Amino acid sequence: MTIKYDVVIGLEVHVQLASKTKIFCGCPTTFGAVPNSQVCQICAGYPGTLPVLNARVFDLGMTAVLAIGGTVAKRVKFDRKNYFYPDLPKGYQISQYDLPLGSGGGVDIIGDDGKPRKINITRLHLEEDAGKLTHDARASFVDLNRAGVPLAEIVSEPEIKSSSEAYAYLTHLKAIVKAAGVSDADMEKGQLRCDANVSIRRSAADPFGTRVEIKNINSFKNVRAALDYEIARQIKAVEAGEAIVQETRQFDAAKGTTHSMRSKEQAHDYRYFPEPDLVPFIVETTEIEAVRSRLPELPAQKRERMMKQYGLTDYDARLLIENSGLVSVFENLAGRIAASQHKNLVNWLIGSVMAYANERAGEVEDMRIEENHIVIPTRPAVEILGIDSGDAGKPIRLSVDGFLEILSLIEKGAVSLKACREEVFPEWVKTGQPPSKIVEAKGLGQISDTGALESACDEVISKNPKSVEDYKAGKENALMFLVGQVMKASKGKANPNLVNELLKKKLK
Amino acid sequence: MSFIRQHLASGRSAREVLASHLNQIDALNPQIHAFISVEGRDAARAVASAEANPKGKLAGVPIAIKDNLCVTGWETTCGSRILKGFFSPYNATVINRLLAEGAVLTGRVNMDEFAFGSSCETSCYGPTRNPWDTERVPGGSSGGSAAAVAAGLVPVALGSDTGGSVRQPASFCGVVGLKPTYGRVSRYGLVAFASSLDQIGPITATVEDSARILEVIAGHDSMDSTSSRVPVEPYSKPLGETIKGLRVGLPKEFLSFPLPPDVQAAFDRSIKILTDAGAEIVPVSLPHTEHAVSVYYIVGPCEASSNLARFDGVRYGDRDLGAKSLADLYLRTRQQGLGAEAKRRIILGTFALSSGYYDAYYLKAMKVRRKMIDDYERAFQQADVLICPTAPSGAFKIGEKTSDPMSMYLSDIYTLSANLVGVPAISVPCGYTAQGLPVGLQFMSKPFAETTLLKAAYAFEQKSGAADRRPKIYAS
């Protein structure tokens, strides 16, 4: 027997703000630079140096708060979070403690129950990143390039009920911060990092269970793995009659497990106090409204517009807007085709195009229209060695005319959907030949000529009086049999929809 | 009598001026131990550029620098073993401003370790001695700065003042020490003790020299968010104007501290000098003064415990190479690198900030601090300047108070309020103890009213004549 547990998850997401320079000094934030090459005396915590808040970072912070629907604090202050670690050059991190820059707001997700739900956000605060440590057998090395990189920490309410909801929350949050231009939110580059607080209880009516913090969840894939492991671990412990210990656990991506980092007793006392080197300041309402007026279209607004403007379902609209590359290509192409084909366009982009791109290590997020081509950059060769490195690194280029021709061939019924997916598309991406030529060369054309099909239908009707009688008596299956006979007679080339229509008309 | 004015008018070559001061250092520093290093090569280079640009406001003026102000290429140790071997890669903003006006930086002067102290005895280089009596302390923490000026080793030194560290040694050494308004001078490049209290200030032989230095070092700095945009005034211009009608406030709470008769006499005489000059004496009240020492010894150590966390042996300074683990590295480096007083303050601050104690200590202290600021605002509605003794005594003997931190802390009772409320304050010689040791008179004014402050201090200096005496060692 299994008892159902109520799972409670809260996420703390660190988003790197898209500023070219650090939060308290002028050093660049470029990813992947030579260790300690983007460091000055300020971010290295040299004696006598002082922080000065980067105005651009503050602007991005306010934008982030407004993008998630939060309220910007009237009074802004920073605090020191004190602890010793070699990657923390000053011995304290400048953060915001009791007065975060933003409070409230939320992210709309589709819950596990299939219904839309808002995951509320508690707070958003600004802080500086620490450096990075690497270790070898001899020694440990400190790289301070990341020290002082601007972060927004976004803390959710404990309202997430499963790993898949956590995944959905993260995906949507990422889409929001990207759309708002607040962050590139590339998890691989550490621009989006996530810690989770997880607890379980017998029922939603019970008080919260003991909370365990999971650190080091550094990829989207790991979000699910880490949470599923931790939930299972807690359930197993509870079933075995053990108490859950309040602690911080680290996720080990290689093993897919979490292990204890420190107990509640070992927890740091961060000795927060107001940062005396940065003077608290008041944010004028006009300043906040100016930032609000510059906000670009955000995913929720975009989703509604997609549904209204293109007649897409909520589901399709969500699928599209999760991916900035897809949505931009969709919007570009949708204007060139009839409204009746929009659904088809979504299906082909999400289906065949995405699948092909994934196969070739394409970065669909960065997909775009360029010189009348759908262009999809690919990851460097080294990452896809062993797959098909021949063209690795080169962007995928698909001609827009060819792609639209495929859509129109289907629309006209000149070729079956199946044939198009399985034969035409693969051949087209390989050779770049016009799809209509491929259909012709492979003999995949459907007979959509009413005249030609009418005689075939008449012949089948006259040869199968029993079925005709059954159909007229109300047996729908009989029609399917008759359609099948026409298809057989045409060697599969007849357009089944058209045959269906013709037979129905003739048997009225 | 201003050194700077006389020097600029005299046409004496910068080379000659530097040479005579270096001679003085050679002759007296072994007894005084004010300088911990003389930077002859950099000074010579500065002399050359001063000669090339004689128009600088400080062209050729030798200046000594406290060991907690960063100067490119100079070892900057704050009198602490833990920073041994740290050569600053950059100049503090004040250093750049002095150099731009042709100042000649002659070297490092001694200080209490990380400015924790009132006697200059906690330096890892050993104590500095008072030029008036080498058995006595010069005061602290800018004891090296004050002793160097008092002994004529330099006409000007920069110090830093967190609770009286410029004014108290100025008082002990019979020179002038100015702590500007918080935010008047950029702190960029001053190794932080307590960020909300620290301010850089000059120690000079005369009020006018302090005014002239302030004109150069004051002003907004984009590198320091706490530096003010209030315009810098020509502080030396109105010196000599009458103080007739100036309202001089006597805070009754300060007058209630017990004073030795000789210090009391010097203070009483000071009041008479000001009255004779036409000032109007008004009684004022600063009701929260009794809490100043407690508030100071919470806020200061709290900020210091955090500011000193960066001295961990990882990036610069002294480190124990025998460390077996990270925790061991931290422990050994800080155990060996920091002195007893630094450890005492770090422990005090760490405790006061820790979870469960923050509200009772730090938060409470900040609330009282706010009330003190209100007290001063009210007092400055009734008075233009406030006066009180700078210190409750003349210089004490070396070793006299090292075993009793509380009595050492109490030597700052008159000075630390100005840091807590952020107002400017200056100490001017006002008389001598029975043993012939100098004592100072402290003036305070409204924030950014340095012009008024300096005008009052200058008028007093001119009338009192107390600054005319020089220690015997100087003349010898």
Side-chain angles (χ1 to χ4, degrees):
Chain A
M1 58 147 217
T2 46
I3 307 163
K4 273 290 278 176
Y5 284 85
D6 187 59
V7 174
V8 178
I9 300 169
L11 293 183
E12 288 171 15
V13 178
H14 284 93
V15 170
Q16 179 179 331
L17 295 172
S19 161
K20 288 197 172 68
T21 50
K22 293 185 179 180
I23 182 166
F24 298 123
C25 67
C27 288
T29 55
T30 322
F31 179 76
V34 172
N36 295 312
S37 64
Q38 304 189 143
V39 177
C40 69
Q41 62 258 26
I42 299 173
C43 53
Y46 268 52
T49 58
L50 298 170
V52 174
L53 179 61
N54 180 334
R56 166 83 181 137
V57 168
F58 181 65
D59 217 59
L60 288 168
M62 284 200 290
T63 310
V65 172
L66 297 175
I68 56 176
T71 310
V72 175
K74 280 260 173 267
R75 182 166 176 271
V76 174
K77 89 180 228 292
F78 287 86
D79 301 278
R80 289 188 186 177
K81 179 180 180 177
N82 295 285
Y83 65 95
F84 285 92
Y85 209 57
D87 66 4
L88 192 69
K90 297 188 293 295
Y92 56 84
Q93 178 193 34
I94 304 178
S95 179
Q96 294 187 293
Y97 182 51
D98 54 343
L99 275 182
L101 178 60
S103 1
V107 171
D108 291 314
I109 64 160
I110 299 284
D112 286 345
D113 56 5
K115 289 183 198 146
R117 193 168 95 242
K118 181 179 176 186
I119 303 296
N120 287 291
I121 284 170
T122 318
R123 57 182 280 163
L124 177 151
H125 69 253
L126 299 179
E127 62 185 27
E128 56 179 339
D129 205 347
K132 198 171 97 183
L133 292 186
T134 45
H135 311 274
D136 72 10
R138 283 182 307 126
S140 296
F141 302 89
V142 186
D143 175 8
L144 294 178
N145 282 352
R146 228 172 59 185
V149 163
L151 302 177
E153 179 173 331
I154 303 172
V155 182
S156 87
E157 288 289 319
E159 296 176 346
I160 297 165
K161 294 176 184 167
S162 68
S163 66
S164 55
E165 286 193 359
Y167 185 86
Y169 169 83
L170 261 188
T171 315
H172 283 84
L173 185 59
K174 176 179 168 166
I176 293 171
V177 295
K178 276 194 83 162
V182 160
S183 174
D184 295 333
D186 188 338
M187 243 180 157
E188 316 293 318
K189 292 182 182 166
Q191 294 166 342
L192 187 82
R193 302 197 290 268
C194 175
D195 300 333
N197 286 301
V198 184
S199 66
I200 59 166
R201 53 184 170 181
R202 289 287 161 105
S203 103
D206 291 344
F208 288 126
T210 305
R211 176 171 64 117
V212 172
E213 186 178 8
I214 315 292
K215 291 225 173 258
N216 199 31
I217 307 176
N218 48 16
S219 81
F220 268 89
K221 202 180 72 195
N222 290 346
V223 173
R224 279 208 175 101
L227 290 174
D228 285 340
Y229 176 85
E230 181 58 22
I231 292 165
R233 187 191 71 84
Q234 289 191 18
I235 290 176
K236 202 172 148 198
V238 168
E239 308 254 285
E242 292 162 19
I244 302 295
V245 184
Q246 185 178 337
E247 60 180 348
T248 301
R249 298 177 71 85
Q250 178 141 25
F251 178 66
D252 182 334
K255 291 192 193 135
T257 59
T258 64
H259 59 265
S260 186
M261 253 173 92
R262 53 176 180 259
S263 70
K264 188 188 170 192
E265 289 71 32
Q266 295 165 302
H268 296 297
D269 180 352
Y270 290 121
R271 289 170 282 122
Y272 281 101
F273 76 103
E275 165 58 286
D277 289 331
L278 293 166
V279 186
F281 59 94
I282 303 293
V283 193
E284 301 295 336
T285 314
T286 49
E287 209 179 329
I288 299 170
E289 289 318 308
V291 173
R292 197 191 303 279
S293 70
R294 289 198 303 266
L295 274 183
E297 187 182 40
L298 296 169
Q301 296 158 344
K302 185 166 244 168
R303 190 177 69 231
E304 273 180 29
R305 182 171 64 79
M306 300 293 273
M307 290 167 66
K308 221 156 125 188
Q309 186 176 343
Y310 301 110
L312 300 183
T313 60
D314 182 76
Y315 180 81
D316 283 343
R318 271 177 201 274
L319 273 184
L320 268 188
I321 63 164
E322 265 176 28
N323 188 307
S324 54
L326 271 182
V327 79
S328 86
V329 167
F330 172 83
E331 291 223 66
N332 192 302
L333 299 184
R336 306 202 202 178
I337 57 176
S340 60
Q341 287 215 66
H342 289 157
K343 165 81 188 153
N344 225 353
L345 175 60
V346 174
N347 289 346
W348 274 86
L349 286 175
I350 292 173
S352 300
V353 174
M354 276 261 275
Y356 176 65
N358 287 338
E359 216 172 88
R360 299 273 306 269
E363 306 266 21
V364 184
E365 284 275 332
D366 299 324
M367 175 158 91
R368 60 189 179 265
I369 301 290
E370 218 174 79
E371 295 165 338
N372 209 31
H373 279 74
I374 300 169
V375 177
I376 310 168
T378 58
R379 284 192 289 277
V382 64
E383 288 186 32
I384 55 161
L385 275 183
I387 297 177
D388 169 21
S389 57
D391 300 323
K394 274 194 226 157
I396 299 166
R397 291 169 60 88
L398 303 172
S399 123
V400 165
D401 293 341
F403 184 63
L404 293 182
E405 195 184 353
I406 291 177
L407 295 185
S408 108
L409 286 173
I410 297 163
E411 170 81 357
K412 280 192 289 196
V415 62
S416 77
L417 193 59
K418 188 164 179 277
C420 217
R421 244 190 229 137
E422 289 170 8
E423 312 242 7
V424 182
F425 185 83
E427 184 67 13
W428 171 65
V429 295
K430 209 163 102 192
T431 65
Q433 281 188 346
S436 55
K437 290 266 161 55
I438 297 170
V439 171
E440 210 178 291
K442 293 199 169 221
L444 297 169
Q446 285 190 139
I447 304 166
S448 295
D449 172 0
T450 321
L453 290 178
E454 272 196 58
S455 56
C457 288
D458 289 341
E459 206 180 320
V460 167
I461 287 170
S462 68
K463 278 188 185 163
N464 297 285
K466 174 82 173 76
S467 298
V468 169
E469 221 169 277
D470 285 351
Y471 175 71
K472 285 185 173 164
K475 287 189 182 170
E476 287 288 327
N477 280 348
L479 184 70
M480 294 316 294
F481 172 77
L482 294 174
V483 171
Q485 292 303 306
V486 179
M487 294 303 291
K488 199 172 159 189
S490 71
K491 293 186 177 113
K493 286 193 180 166
N495 180 339
N497 292 334
L498 199 54
V499 173
N500 203 315
E501 261 170 54
L502 282 173
L503 284 172
K504 270 188 185 167
K505 210 158 71 189
K506 286 179 190 292
L507 297 176
K508 243 181 196 165
Chain B
M1 291 290 279
S2 151
F3 174 87
I4 298 170
R5 180 154 48 94
Q6 275 186 334
H7 163 73
L8 294 177
S10 71
R12 245 178 115 198
S13 83
R15 197 168 304 239
E16 207 182 311
V17 171
L18 175 63
S20 82
H21 283 96
L22 290 178
N23 283 340
Q24 187 81 344
I25 294 171
D26 280 347
L28 296 184
N29 199 53
Q31 297 163 67
I32 311 276
H33 193 236
F35 274 85
I36 51 177
S37 75
V38 176
E39 303 288 344
R41 193 175 300 179
D42 279 3
R45 209 174 293 144
V47 159
S49 69
E51 283 172 349
N53 174 26
K55 289 240 171 82
K57 286 184 190 162
L58 301 174
V61 176
I63 300 183
I65 306 297
K66 190 177 179 180
D67 196 27
N68 60 356
L69 285 161
C70 288
V71 180
T72 307
W74 288 16
E75 196 175 21
T76 304
T77 69
C78 301
S80 179
R81 221 187 114 173
I82 206 163
L83 272 173
K84 276 294 204 178
F86 171 68
F87 291 83
S88 176
Y90 74 104
N91 274 337
T93 297
V94 289
I95 299 299
N96 282 332
R97 290 186 177 173
L98 292 178
L99 290 174
E101 294 295 345
V104 175
L105 309 187
T106 51
R108 282 279 182 225
V109 278
N110 203 10
M111 61 183 283
D112 279 295
E113 182 179 17
F114 286 110
F116 299 145
S118 310
S119 67
C120 222
E121 292 167 288
T122 64
S123 166
C124 71
Y125 302 99
T128 293
R129 290 165 185 274
N130 192 314
W132 294 83
D133 176 352
T134 53
E135 294 306 308
R136 292 177 184 271
V137 303
S141 66
S142 309
S145 305
V149 173
L153 311 186
V154 273
V156 175
L158 283 192
S160 67
D161 189 316
T162 307
S165 280
V166 158
R167 292 160 285 156
Q168 185 256 21
S171 174
F172 279 15
C173 292
V175 291
V176 174
L178 169 66
K179 182 206 88 81
T181 308
Y182 184 77
R184 180 68 298 178
V185 176
S186 168
R187 294 184 294 116
Y188 188 76
L190 165 66
V191 182
F193 158 4
S195 315
S196 74
L197 304 168
D198 295 344
Q199 194 62 197
I200 297 165
I203 291 180
T204 57
T206 66
V207 172
E208 182 175 343
D209 286 328
S210 276
R212 286 175 179 269
I213 296 296
L214 186 63
E215 284 170 4
V216 171
I217 63 174
H220 180 255
D221 175 16
S222 61
M223 303 299 278
D224 177 3
S225 308
T226 64
S227 72
S228 171
R229 291 182 187 275
V230 171
V232 175
E233 291 168 22
Y235 303 109
S236 61
K237 283 264 165 61
L239 301 182
E241 286 177 7
T242 176
I243 58 162
K244 215 167 179 175
L246 185 82
R247 297 170 305 164
V248 174
L250 283 181
K252 71 170 190 218
E253 291 77 8
F254 281 129
L255 302 185
S256 69
F257 296 139
L259 276 179
D262 45 3
V263 181
Q264 184 69 55
F267 182 65
D268 292 343
R269 180 179 162 264
S270 303
I271 298 174
K272 183 156 189 313
I273 290 168
L274 288 165
T275 318
D276 290 348
E280 182 195 331
I281 303 294
V282 290
V284 297
S285 174
L286 303 166
H288 294 90
T289 299
E290 59 169 320
H291 303 298
V293 174
S294 318
V295 171
Y296 180 81
Y297 279 97
I298 291 170
V299 175
C302 282
E303 293 182 9
S305 70
S306 173
N307 283 330
L308 267 63
R310 69 188 64 194
F311 307 118
D312 55 8
V314 173
R315 293 166 310 283
Y316 44 71
D318 201 27
R319 141 196 288 199
D320 188 300
L321 293 172
K324 304 262 185 301
S325 68
L326 179 61
D328 198 31
L329 171 72
Y330 287 156
L331 288 176
R332 287 182 184 223
T333 299
R334 290 168 73 82
Q335 256 162 18
Q336 296 159 16
L338 295 169
E341 185 60 26
K343 285 175 187 159
R344 185 178 296 131
R345 302 220 189 177
I346 290 170
I347 291 168
L348 202 58
T350 304
F351 170 75
L353 284 176
S354 57
S355 150
Y357 296 96
Y358 177 84
D359 289 3
Y361 293 106
Y362 188 81
L363 199 62
K364 187 92 163 260
M366 291 308 267
K367 283 180 183 163
V368 177
R369 194 175 172 185
R370 179 68 242 176
K371 288 193 182 299
M372 290 179 66
I373 293 171
D374 296 342
D375 284 354
Y376 277 76
E377 274 173 10
R378 265 193 302 272
F380 284 121
Q381 286 167 4
Q382 297 162 268
D384 302 306
V385 295
L386 307 180
I387 57 162
C388 61
T390 307
S393 70
F396 44 86
K397 289 231 164 96
I398 290 173
E400 189 182 323
K401 297 193 177 188
T402 40
S403 57
D404 182 3
M406 268 317 284
S407 81
M408 185 81 88
Y409 294 173
L410 286 174
S411 67
D412 291 333
I413 48 170
Y414 293 107
T415 47
L416 40 79
S417 291
N419 300 80
L420 289 170
V421 300
V423 299
I426 190 168
S427 176
V428 187
C430 73
Y432 297 85
T433 65
Q435 291 138 315
L437 298 167
V439 290
L441 175 69
Q442 176 176 236
F443 292 79
M444 291 183 268
S445 76
K446 270 193 276 209
F448 301 105
E450 274 87 351
T451 299
T452 307
L453 180 80
L454 288 159
K455 207 168 83 178
Y458 182 84
F460 174 80
E461 177 189 48
Q462 299 305 308
K463 301 272 194 259
S464 94
D468 298 343
R469 245 193 259 183
R470 283 279 169 258
K472 281 191 204 105
I473 201 173
Y474 184 93
S476 68

